[in-house]
Amino acid sequence: MGEPLLKIENLESYYGPIMAIRGVSLEVHEGQIVTVLGANGAGKTTLMKTISGVMDPEKGTVKLSGEEIQGRDPDHSVRKGVVQVPEGREIFPLMSVEDNLKMGAFTRTDRAGIAADIDMVYRYFPILKERSTQDAGTLSGGQQQMLAIGRGLMARPRVMLLDEPSLGLSPLLTKEIFAIIKRLNAEQKVTMLVVEQNAKIALEAAHYGYVMELGRIVMGGPAEKLRASKDIQEFYLGQQGESQRGQRRWKNRKTWR
Amino acid sequence: MDLLQLLISGLANGCVYGLIALGFVLIYKATEAVNFAQGDFMMLGAFLTLTFANSNELGLPFWLACILAVLVMGVVGYLVEALLIRRMFGESQIAIVILTISLGIVLRFVAGVIWGHEPQSLESPLAGREVRLGGLVLGFDDMTIIIVTILLTAGLYLFFAKTKIGLAMQAASQNQLAAYYMGIPVKRVHALVWALAGGVAAIAGILFAAKGTIDPSTGLLGIKASAAAIIGGFGSLPGALLGGLIIGLVEPLSSRYVAAGVSQIMPYLILLIVLIVRPHGLLSQVRAKKV
Ligand SMILES: Nc1ncnc2c1ncn2[C@@H]1O[C@H](COP(=O)(O)OP(=O)(O)OP(=O)(O)O)[C@@H](O)[C@H]1O
Ligand SMILES: [Mg+2]
């Protein structure tokens, strides 16, 4: 394989004095689905935010096709082709489904392309087409996740960062969402970096995976290797009951900077 | 007939209150800051128009003076956000409230220095002219105020529903974090909202000055307008206009049917009643976010 599409080196990010990611390095090659697994508080969301420009790193680089993009606003990163589908969906609740999608394309100016991409999103998520004029806040949790992914696609990203797409969804719906993620990767050639706690489903979909603990990458390898690994089986594949999911519902909405 | 004329004149006043209230709500919805200088923005807009238009000042054509005043107030709004409010990021609401109240005081002072404290009138082509409809005598000024308010409301509606920047303003107000994720430059959008509120304030100021005299303390009308905004459900644009109209109508009616002085306290009496009966205001959007 040649140069990775996304290359992260020695990234460090802080919340005030708290060091949330401690020298993370990873690579995502064009056309791949790469997953980052880790327990609550491992620093997965912080990593995503630092890649997408929502947070500035203290040290380290984020390179997209060799060009450094870290430490700028998401405005810049999105234009360069990195879009983050945030944890907890974060749709615009009082705007229609279609207007939500249009906001995903905020950085674009090609009207025809935007219209075509709205149709493309509706093909992958027919329910969104049915609800296109409805306020997004009235959608179910699963539909909101679909909208969040669709809205991310509207930026025509080169790399899409998905932060826990399975959060709060039923096992069936989680499967459905991951099936669509795989199709988008295969058919629309969207490269994906997916953060998950649901290791089983993430490793089934991904080509490559990393494991993150306490702000560090502690393991990395092709997905099938990780699936076979003893540690992963013990720590992640064994313990993903509903209790762990359920606890997370109360999580505060995060403030930014 | 007499009553109808009274109502129309009250409606016109209500439009002005409503437009100032609209400015409050625009800024509050989009940025969660409350701009207590909104009334003073209006006063400044009125004085600028006067300076541009009056024959003893610059003597520009009236329409040009209006456009210039709206543009200048837009720039003032933008700069207030970019230079003052933005620095307050992370500070408490109270800090921002104190900042905007102080800003209002400064603007009144500056206006007093530039234009003096004597009431002045705008040389408006609307003043003194009237239309007769049957037995009705309708002031040109009242009619213009109502028509301009309707047009401006329709324009704003289309702006928010159809334009990309209008949608982005809505998005940033509903979920600032998500707007930021989508590459919407939230800070610039906030400054543009302040610019819009500045422009709307200038229009309110022109309309106000078309009916009467202005002096630096005219800006205190903002207090009455904030009552209108709360009556409508701080956070609802149609509510702000509705609140303004209610106050505009109740004032002349109460001074006619109750007692002259009562009209002064009526807006606040209504405010109290609304807050007791419907604590979130008349047209509030209290819908829980499903996130
Ligand atoms: N806004 C914040 N201020 C201070 N500390 C924070 C903030 N956000 C996260 N942290 C801390 O940074 C660490 C990493 O948090 P992060 O949200 O990146 O974890 P995560 O892996 O995404 O967890 P989860 O699976 O629960 O989403 C945690 O210890 C957390 O407490
Ligand atoms: Mg997280």
Side-chain angles (χ1 to χ4, degrees):
Chain A
M1 276 189 273
E3 191 190 15
L5 178 56
L6 184 69
K7 187 175 170 78
I8 289 148
E9 283 176 306
N10 300 319
L11 212 57
E12 290 183 8
S13 287
Y14 290 77
Y15 294 102
I18 305 167
M19 191 178 191
I21 55 175
R22 305 160 171 261
V24 168
S25 300
L26 59 80
E27 294 183 351
V28 180
H29 286 269
E30 183 124 39
Q32 279 187 331
I33 299 181
V34 173
T35 185
V36 177
L37 308 173
N40 290 130
K44 307 179 298 294
T45 298
T46 312
L47 173 62
M48 297 293 242
K49 283 183 179 170
T50 313
I51 299 173
S52 67
V54 171
M55 280 176 72
D56 295 344
E58 202 72 19
K59 280 199 192 122
T61 54
V62 178
K63 286 187 188 147
L64 187 74
S65 299
E67 186 188 351
E68 290 191 20
I69 59 164
Q70 79 280 0
R72 308 278 301 260
D73 282 346
D75 169 27
H76 177 258
S77 309
V78 173
R79 279 172 211 279
K80 287 288 170 191
V82 179
V83 76
Q84 180 172 359
V85 178
E87 184 181 357
R89 308 184 265 277
E90 306 283 354
I91 44 102
F92 303 115
L94 300 173
M95 291 169 78
S96 72
V97 166
E98 187 143 326
D99 284 346
N100 267 265
L101 292 178
K102 282 185 190 154
M103 284 298 98
F106 182 84
T107 54
R108 294 170 59 183
T109 48
D110 54 325
R111 277 165 173 270
I114 292 172
D117 282 352
I118 287 183
D119 285 340
M120 182 268 289
V121 170
Y122 284 158
R123 272 203 312 283
Y124 282 94
F125 304 104
I127 187 73
L128 295 183
K129 182 169 193 176
E130 241 171 74
R131 304 291 163 90
S132 63
T133 58
Q134 195 172 315
D135 276 0
T138 63
L139 296 180
S140 75
Q143 292 162 355
Q144 289 188 13
Q145 184 63 60
M146 295 178 193
L147 179 58
I149 295 174
R151 187 182 59 181
L153 286 171
M154 290 303 298
R156 278 261 174 107
R158 301 180 66 194
V159 188
M160 187 144 105
L161 311 177
L162 286 155
D163 195 348
E164 293 203 45
S166 75
L167 183 63
L169 302 187
S170 72
L172 196 69
L173 208 51
T174 304
K175 264 206 175 123
E176 205 176 302
I177 295 273
F178 269 88
I180 294 175
I181 290 173
K182 272 164 86 169
R183 274 182 60 206
L184 286 168
N185 173 254
E187 297 167 11
Q188 303 295 325
K189 313 287 174 226
V190 189
T191 304
M192 314 245 188
L193 180 61
V194 188
V195 152
E196 260 303 333
Q197 288 196 49
N198 188 335
K200 186 163 182 289
I201 194 129
L203 286 176
E204 271 166 23
H207 302 101
Y208 202 90
Y210 293 94
V211 177
M212 202 170 175
E213 265 172 26
L214 299 174
R216 288 198 175 82
I217 299 284
V218 293
M219 197 191 297
E224 61 269 25
K225 281 227 176 92
L226 291 185
R227 267 197 307 255
S229 139
K230 264 225 152 63
D231 285 343
I232 299 268
Q233 286 184 344
E234 257 171 53
F235 290 110
Y236 295 101
L237 299 179
Q239 44 146 281
Q240 8 159 333
E242 272 302 311
S243 65
Q244 200 186 40
R245 310 261 98 204
Q247 278 169 10
R248 316 194 56 244
R249 298 263 164 77
W250 50 267
K251 259 183 82 150
N252 288 333
R253 271 161 51 89
K254 284 170 192 148
T255 50
W256 51 283
R257 293 208 276 196
Chain B
M1 278 308 161
D2 214 19
L3 178 64
L4 204 57
Q5 257 162 255
L6 200 65
L7 286 180
I8 287 175
S9 157
L11 209 57
N13 288 341
C15 286
V16 175
Y17 302 151
L19 288 181
I20 306 173
L22 200 69
F24 273 113
V25 173
L26 270 176
I27 290 177
Y28 176 71
K29 260 180 89 105
T31 70
E32 284 173 16
V34 181
N35 177 23
F36 280 101
Q38 192 65 25
D40 304 292
F41 279 15
M42 179 210 78
M43 172 272 295
L44 209 56
F47 268 121
L48 284 172
T49 317
L50 186 143
T51 298
F52 293 142
N54 277 13
S55 49
N56 59 341
E57 307 255 1
L58 294 181
L60 298 175
F62 187 69
W63 60 269
L64 182 60
C66 292
I67 291 175
L68 283 177
V70 170
L71 289 180
V72 171
M73 284 314 296
V75 172
V76 168
Y78 190 99
L79 291 179
V80 165
E81 201 285 337
L83 301 179
L84 294 176
I85 308 293
R86 196 175 292 178
R87 315 227 156 167
M88 304 290 286
F89 189 84
E91 302 288 332
S92 68
Q93 284 278 22
I94 289 294
I96 296 176
V97 166
I98 292 171
L99 177 73
T100 59
I101 289 177
S102 321
L103 176 67
I105 294 171
V106 170
L107 291 180
R108 284 197 290 281
F109 175 80
V110 169
V113 170
I114 300 178
W115 290 288
H117 290 275
E118 291 304 311
Q120 302 191 40
S121 16
L122 172 65
E123 289 166 14
S124 139
L126 308 171
R129 289 161 73 180
E130 51 197 34
V131 244
R132 286 170 187 279
L133 275 179
L136 267 186
V137 186
L138 301 176
F140 235 62
D141 44 8
D142 285 340
M143 297 308 288
T144 309
I145 290 173
I146 294 170
I147 292 168
V148 168
T149 304
I150 293 172
L151 291 179
L152 183 62
T153 310
L156 284 174
Y157 175 80
L158 289 176
F159 172 75
F160 282 113
K162 300 287 175 211
T163 68
K164 185 165 160 182
I165 189 73
L167 284 170
M169 285 178 182
Q170 281 196 57
S173 93
Q174 291 174 23
N175 192 336
Q176 189 166 309
L177 180 65
Y180 195 53
Y181 276 116
M182 290 304 108
I184 296 172
V186 174
K187 288 177 194 160
R188 201 178 326 141
V189 166
H190 282 179
L192 288 173
V193 170
W194 275 76
L196 187 62
V200 171
I203 293 174
I206 296 165
L207 296 179
F208 181 83
K211 264 192 95 167
T213 58
I214 50 170
D215 65 86
S217 67
T218 302
L220 295 174
L221 207 65
I223 298 174
K224 211 186 277 178
S226 67
I230 299 170
I231 289 172
F234 226 98
S236 155
L237 296 178
L241 281 172
L242 180 68
L245 294 182
I246 290 175
I247 290 182
L249 286 175
V250 163
E251 273 182 341
L253 290 180
S254 59
S255 63
R256 177 167 169 155
Y257 292 109
V258 190
V262 173
S263 73
Q264 293 295 319
I265 59 158
M266 275 318 272
Y268 309 102
L269 204 59
I270 297 175
L271 174 64
L272 281 178
I273 295 171
V274 168
L275 285 182
I276 291 167
V277 181
R278 273 187 69 98
H280 294 289
L282 293 178
L283 296 186
S284 58
Q285 284 174 320
V286 261
R287 200 181 314 176
K289 283 185 188 176
K290 237 205 233 173
V291 184

